[in-house]
Amino acid sequence: MFNGYPLSVFLCNTSGAGGWSPMVTDQEPWLQVDLKEQMEVTAVATQGRYDSWDWVSSYLLLYSDTGRVWKQYRHEDGRFVGNTNSEAVVQNKLSHPVRTRFLRFVPRDWNPSGWMGLRVEVYGCSYKSYVADFDGRSALLYRFNQKSMSTVKDVISLRFKSHQAEGVLLHGEGQRGDYITLELHRGRLDLYLNLDDNRLRFSSGRVAVTVGSLLDDQHWHSVQMERFNRQVNLTVDSHTQHFQTKGEGHSLEVDYELSFGGIPLPGKPGTFLRKNFHGCMENLYYNGINVIDLAKRRKPQIHSVGNVTFSCSQPQLVACTFVSSGSSFLSLPSAASATGGFSVRFQFRTWNPDGLLLSVNASQENGRNKYLLLCCRPLNQTKAVSARLNVKCSSPGHRVNDGLWHSVSLDTRNLQITLTVDNEPSSAIELWEQLESKGSFYFGGQWVLTRQTPAFQGCMRLLFINRQPMNLNHVQQGLLGNYNELQFDTCNIRDRCLPNLCEHGGRCSQTWSTFTCDCSGTGYSGATCHNSIYESSCEAYKLIGSSSGFFSIDPDGSGPLGPTQVYCNMTEEKVWTVLAHNSTAPVTVQGSSPRKPHIMKLNYSASAEQLHAIVSGSEQCQQEVVYNCRKSRLFNTKGEFYFPLNGRDEATGEASCPGVQQCSCSLEENCIDMNYFCNCDADADAWANDTGVLSYKDHLPVSQIVIGDTNRTGSQAVYHIGPLRCYGDKSIWNAASFYQESSYLYFPTLQAELASDISFYFKTSAPSGVFLENLGLKDFIRAELSSPSVVTFSFDVGNGPVVLSVKSHLPLNDRQWHYVRAERNVKEASLQVDQLPLRFLEAPADGHPRLRLSSQLFVGGTASQQRGFLGCIRTLTINGVSFDLEERARMTPGVSSGCPGYCSGSSSLCHNRGRCIEKSNGYVCDCSQSAYGGTTCNQEVSVSFDMESSVTYTFQEPFSVMQNRSSQASSVSTESSSRAREDIAFSFVTSQRPAMLLTVSTFSQQYIAVILAKNGTYSSREHNSQSIMYRNVLRLLLLPRFRFLVIALLFDFFPLNQIDQDIHTKYTLSSDAELILIRSLTLGKVTRRENFNEKVVQAASKGFIGCLSSVQFNHVAPLKAALTNRGSSLVTIRGPLVQSNCGALAESTSHTPATGKEDQESPLLLRISSSQSPASEIATVVFIAVCALAVISRLLYQQRRAQRSNSIKEDNRHSMYTDYRTEMHLHNSVRDNMKEYYI
């Protein structure tokens, strides 16, 4: 309620009541201060009531020019921090001063053991005000002393408050086509500016720069436009737009005059081209000239059109705010209608797409009741429901939840319901009987049927019932109607999309209480479009299993640069990032001179900032320059400038020092003429060549080529600039080791007020420790290992501490790498550890949004030097910026650069038996013992066979399969205490039957034969031999599908498993069956028949037609040896042998249907023959795939890969990489997408 002008409320006052305290019966108490005149307020301070238990702990601050229309001062979360006792003074400085006469302190929280009590003080100063009032049909014209005014610099400033959302504030134009217009449109400020741009002059649509929102709220707003040449700054209140005008002009040429408040039509007084401004302007300055002061003093430069007065009229439009969508309502009695029926008219504004505007119990003449509900709803969602009638309050193409004022008129007279929204055509519903209102009119809610319809949340004003105005002041004073959860004398609407907190071009939409971001098409994801959906480098794509191709990379992650497309070449040991430019073909140059040189500017697929980020983040970059010349010199031409050729020996890769101005032939001392530093400088009348590789990163990439010596007779040059090529990602293995609890690394304060994302890997054996911490006066942010299995992310932005924890079912201090990603923004906070479930927490809707930090960022410890981290941290990235831990660690005691043991915690970095080898800043994979190739041993080695093809690998020394040999075995051991095991693995594609896949022969007339047999079941038992048949129900012969076959020979017991059908078959052989003295292994056709039985001989003669891939026999890779060591005495090749790609073939044919006779089943046959005693004949044959444990592992792997794939497509990719123990193997080859036999 209104409490008048209180006395004895100033600070330190002890007289009277010792301060202000409302009555307990006051429903909505507040304290109002009248400053007697307009003042610029910079701060406020509060105390509790003297010598009491009464104080206010938080409050809202409202301000007003008139004491009738109020606006809330937005201070962080809207509330000011008050007192904790009755005597201490708490001062709150205003982040932006307000010019006002009246202030209102509205208590929100107070001492629960006492009551509200306030003593206040207001700080500020007076200022001089020049005001003009425009009634919507008037304007001021400022006429120049000359015909036209041409300016290269303009400064225009003013303050305004408007009654309407449309209206021209300023306009000027010239005959050259220049113009400037400052105009209110839909509650926003539009600036139209043209400086001699004919395209804009003759185009039908002008392009505006828009600033501000909700500027028709009858409160003062400040505007300033600064222009220098084509650079323009436009500021409305605290929001600024920086832009550059189009066209070639640098001056603004305006003829005759500038108009303020409207655009008068020449020759027709009182006629205006556009809707005029309706409101007040204050302190209007044009290039230092006080326009309102000149008008007030009736100077001849100012001409007044219409009725312009010099005092601001008092507004009559008083609004109320419906705060809650669940409990706010306004109940007003029905006024009598002389004509029958009833009518309601009002204005409203909201952001919500639906809500109950009005409900009334409408009785009919027959006594039956109907509830008439007027709802603001999306189109096509209004339905007729029993006992009520819903009426749409919007029409096609007409949105009413846009934050602007809209008028609604409802009339039930003349046997129909008529609804009119704004100036749209009316909608009508015919009635059989006249409706009469019964009881009160409910605005905004508090009706039994609102359970199905949310109550209105927004502002209302100008309420009329049966054409009688409703006085909201009487409602507030309890003299009229009833209400709940309403704010009077103010429309407390706010634009939550100003400023736009959606990052990277995300589109903001809002409701009354929150906003959402549409990130589609931006390349980012998350609640505020903060997280890049792309990896930061080609190296990162390689680590998740990608192969060569075009990729979008985001070199600064969540930073401002954005993604760019590059080509990632992963065919070599190094992963190359390739960026092309617009001049890929050789360019021929003739006729250029130093005065008129040939200039070629190179444009890349990335911006200059993106190029710098890629180059600086790479280990090494290079760009080849080829210059072919005939009588065209490079460095021996006075007055010419060329890009520096940093000569480099391409063979050795040794680069010269930057800026030496020498070609590679000079550095290698093999130039045509050693008197010159380049071949071309010899100026010979014959073609010469200078080729160099620029490798000094500060000079890359080449952006421009200048050639000036091709204008002589016979002079000509041909040059070619290669693409920019970079390799390595310096941040991936950038690590530091902390071995003292009191040690830490420090960096500059985090710049993370509105959003921050932190990601890193850690490895430790300690039970706890702080990863990083940054403190402010009260705010803080911290990430730590709080217990052996719990990672905690905590912060405080002024709403109280927030703690997110992720608990692992396994200890995290296991000396393995673990991935952590924490994010906090104005919408939410999240914490991800490895691939454990994401911990997520929404931010309060109106809480403090900004994280204010002041201390340094501590990594690996805290400022108190307690609870420090012991272990390794690497790849620390915050808001897309990679931190150089190694450099800082070199100068910090207790911390060392790098982290030993990259391989120890990441066993899956190298695949398929590849061996991980430690390096100082990473690792390399030794694939010599693997059947696969590539940098991580995941590239298949495949060969195409025809009927005559075969590969025979002869073992350097005979050895027994009774031994379980490791990958490092190089000699024969005749004794073994463990059970014998021998592993054979390979993949194949074929449509042949029968087919000989593989044979192993020994010096003792034993053999192993793997045969793809004919249809039917084949099984035989012969003297000295034993065979096992497996029927392949997947029609291997008919459909060339990619199969991964594993044979594991484990004497006494071994399993047989085929994953496609999940079949488990076990065979037990006698323990005395031994295959000893192995001589050779043959793939394909067998020419030496040994003592094979008839079926094996038949298959051996047919050979194998198809593709074999990744053949592994223990630590031997015969197929790989055949391709890489063709001259080796151990490898014998017969017939044609062509390197191929089984995986691609299988992928292309995997969906081909099989028909006809081909549907019959085709068996795989494994024959093992031995010349041992009858007791040993029972033993040795086996056809083996994987044990049950491998099946489970494979299925889990496929499931996890599918989940990861979905998360990449649908949501943000929370990590550049994940825990190396659990994820790096997930993408190890293209075989993962195919059905296969698998170990």
Side-chain angles (χ1 to χ4, degrees), residues 186 345-349 392-395 397-410 419-427 461:
R186 296 181 62 81
R345 180 159 49 93
F346 60 92
Q347 291 183 357
F348 75 94
R349 71 191 310 175
K392 296 178 183 177
C393 64
S394 59
S395 58
H398 189 63
R399 230 176 114 243
V400 295
N401 64 323
D402 54 5
L404 300 177
W405 285 108
H406 297 276
S407 62
V408 177
S409 177
L410 179 69
L419 175 68
T420 305
V421 179
D422 296 333
N423 296 319
E424 296 294 312
S426 300
S427 301
R461 68 182 186 187

Side-chain angles (χ1 to χ4, degrees), residues 12 42 117 158 180 237 266 288 342 353 486 496 558 701 741 1220 1238:
C12 303
T42 59
L158 67 133
I180 180 173
D237 297 332
F342 58 87
L486 255 62
R496 297 180 183 274
S558 59
E741 189 173 344
Y1220 280 93
Y1238 183 79

Side-chain angles (χ1 to χ4, degrees), residues 920-935:
S920 60
N921 62 342
Y923 70 96
V924 294
C925 293
D926 177 11
C927 305
S928 60
Q929 307 290 337
S930 173
Y932 291 77
T935 56

Side-chain angles (χ1 to χ4, degrees), residues 100 390 505 541 800 978 1080:
T100 186
N390 291 336
Y541 279 109
S978 62
S1080 62

Side-chain angles (χ1 to χ4, degrees), residues 307-484:
N307 183 27
V308 178
T309 60
F310 300 101
S311 63
C312 197
S313 59
Q314 300 296 324
Q316 302 299 320
L317 306 178
V318 179
C320 63
T321 304
F322 293 75
V323 179
S324 170
S325 62
S327 56
S328 293
F329 74 90
L330 170 62
S331 172
L332 294 174
S334 173
S337 173
T339 58
F342 58 87
S343 64
V344 180
R345 180 159 49 93
F346 60 92
Q347 291 183 357
F348 75 94
R349 71 191 310 175
T350 185
W351 295 114
N352 288 357
D354 54 3
L356 179 62
L357 291 169
L358 172 68
S359 58
V360 59
N361 189 349
S363 63
Q364 295 181 313
E365 294 179 357
N366 58 13
R368 291 186 301 172
N369 292 336
K370 276 191 177 293
Y371 302 115
L372 182 62
L373 306 182
L374 183 61
C375 303
C376 178
R377 280 187 165 182
L379 292 178
N380 304 323
Q381 290 190 14
T382 298
K383 301 178 181 179
V385 181
S386 175
R388 71 173 179 172
L389 181 64
N390 291 336
V391 182
K392 296 178 183 177
C393 64
S394 59
S395 58
H398 189 63
R399 230 176 114 243
V400 295
N401 64 323
D402 54 5
L404 300 177
W405 285 108
H406 297 276
S407 62
V408 177
S409 177
L410 179 69
D411 198 328
T412 66
R413 294 170 297 181
N414 302 322
L415 293 179
Q416 66 178 3
I417 301 176
T418 304
L419 175 68
T420 305
V421 179
D422 296 333
N423 296 319
E424 296 294 312
S426 300
S427 301
I429 299 177
E430 299 295 332
L431 300 174
W432 290 99
E433 298 176 277
Q434 185 66 51
L435 285 180
E436 299 289 345
S437 61
K438 180 180 180 181
S440 298
F441 289 80
Y442 283 86
F443 294 86
Q446 191 61 22
W447 194 253
V448 64
L449 295 179
T450 60
R451 298 173 185 174
Q452 301 177 15
T453 303
F456 172 74
Q457 197 174 21
C459 303
M460 287 190 184
R461 68 182 186 187
L462 297 178
L463 279 74
F464 290 81
I465 299 178
N466 292 333
R467 301 186 179 180
Q468 299 296 316
M470 299 291 106
N471 192 324
L472 295 180
N473 286 331
H474 291 172
V475 176
Q476 184 183 9
Q477 296 169 12
L479 303 177
L480 179 68
N482 193 14
Y483 68 92
N484 186 58

Side-chain angles (χ1 to χ4, degrees), residues 87 341 654 676 815 1030 1202:
E87 299 305 321
E654 295 177 359
Y676 300 97
R815 298 185 181 181
Y1030 175 68

